[in-house]
Amino acid sequence: MLSKKIEKLLQEQIEVESNSSYGYLAAASWCEVNGLEGAAAFFYNQSDEERIHMLKLFKYINEKGGHALVPVNKAPKADFKNIIDLIKYFHNSEKSVSSSVNKLVYVANHEQDYTTLNFLQWYVTEQHEEETLARLLLDKIKLIGMEANGLYLIDNEIAKHVNKKKPTAITMGGGEGG
Ligand code: FEO
């Protein structure tokens, strides 16, 4: 059984992952209508991954005797100044997800809920990877710059990261999934 506090925090994490999924879907759409096909593919993929992160939480809560609920989503940001603005948004979004995962880890540890702590390790690793990727993309984009055919090169650079992490079936307590 989950404590009420842990279940509430896991439910909040469902909301966080769901908002990320829709946020990246909006980002993908923005890229697509702005001719950035590579970046669009990347964010469509990213959006799918976030949905998997959300579904893993559904399964975990329910298997532990709780009841996972479908969250109400915030309207995602639909417009960006440029691709740098968008990648900064991606980076900040991942940093914010990491904070909520860390908060959950802290509480699970404090409550000596080692099953949840173990379940959360997958998210800790995932967040490390996503933050690293976001920072890498931001550095690369700054390096390439927006002058001349910079935007084209940036789009190609982002596209390289599409297939590195494919969303897969949900598994319990970690495993594949993003
Ligand atoms: Fe599931 Fe990228 O946070």
Side-chain angles (χ1 to χ4, degrees), residues 158-175:
I158 297 172
K160 284 186 204 164
H161 298 272
V162 175
N163 293 319
K164 285 201 173 162
K165 295 159 68 198
K166 282 203 180 86
T168 53
I170 310 158
T171 53
M172 279 300 301

Side-chain angles (χ1 to χ4, degrees), residues 113-132:
D113 178 349
Y114 298 118
T115 314
T116 299
L117 197 60
N118 184 50
F119 168 75
L120 290 170
Q121 289 314 305
W122 183 87
Y123 287 84
V124 172
T125 306
E126 181 68 15
Q127 280 317 116
H128 169 66
E129 285 176 12
E130 299 210 319
E131 273 194 57
T132 304

Side-chain angles (χ1 to χ4, degrees), residues 24-94:
Y24 297 153
L25 185 58
S29 182
W30 181 87
C31 291
E32 198 159 49
V33 298
N34 282 283
L36 297 162
E37 281 182 13
F42 175 80
F43 280 107
Y44 277 124
N45 185 75
Q46 207 64 29
S47 173
D48 286 347
E49 278 189 24
E50 298 301 349
R51 186 165 188 279
I52 297 284
H53 300 175
M54 178 189 73
L55 292 176
K56 277 176 177 286
L57 286 152
F58 265 76
K59 286 209 71 86
Y60 182 72
I61 291 173
N62 290 343
E63 288 193 16
K64 292 292 284 178
H67 182 187
L69 304 170
V70 175
V72 176
N73 287 281
K74 291 188 294 196
K77 183 173 161 68
D79 276 307
F80 300 88
K81 274 187 256 158
N82 51 42
I83 191 68
I84 296 179
D85 185 37
L86 171 45
I87 299 298
K88 278 184 185 163
Y89 163 81
F90 172 45
H91 190 211
N92 287 332
S93 167
E94 291 305 327

Side-chain angles (χ1 to χ4, degrees), residues 105-159:
V105 167
Y106 177 83
V107 175
N109 193 37
H110 190 73
E111 290 195 6
Q112 300 186 326
D113 178 349
Y114 298 118
T115 314
T116 299
L117 197 60
N118 184 50
F119 168 75
L120 290 170
Q121 289 314 305
W122 183 87
Y123 287 84
V124 172
T125 306
E126 181 68 15
Q127 280 317 116
H128 169 66
E129 285 176 12
E130 299 210 319
E131 273 194 57
T132 304
L133 175 58
R135 205 173 321 110
L136 173 86
L137 289 177
L138 205 50
D139 288 346
K140 281 270 173 86
I141 286 172
K142 285 179 183 164
L143 201 66
I144 295 169
M146 303 264 275
E147 290 80 29
N149 57 355
L151 204 51
Y152 176 77
L153 296 174
I154 286 169
D155 193 43
N156 282 350
E157 181 60 39
I158 297 172

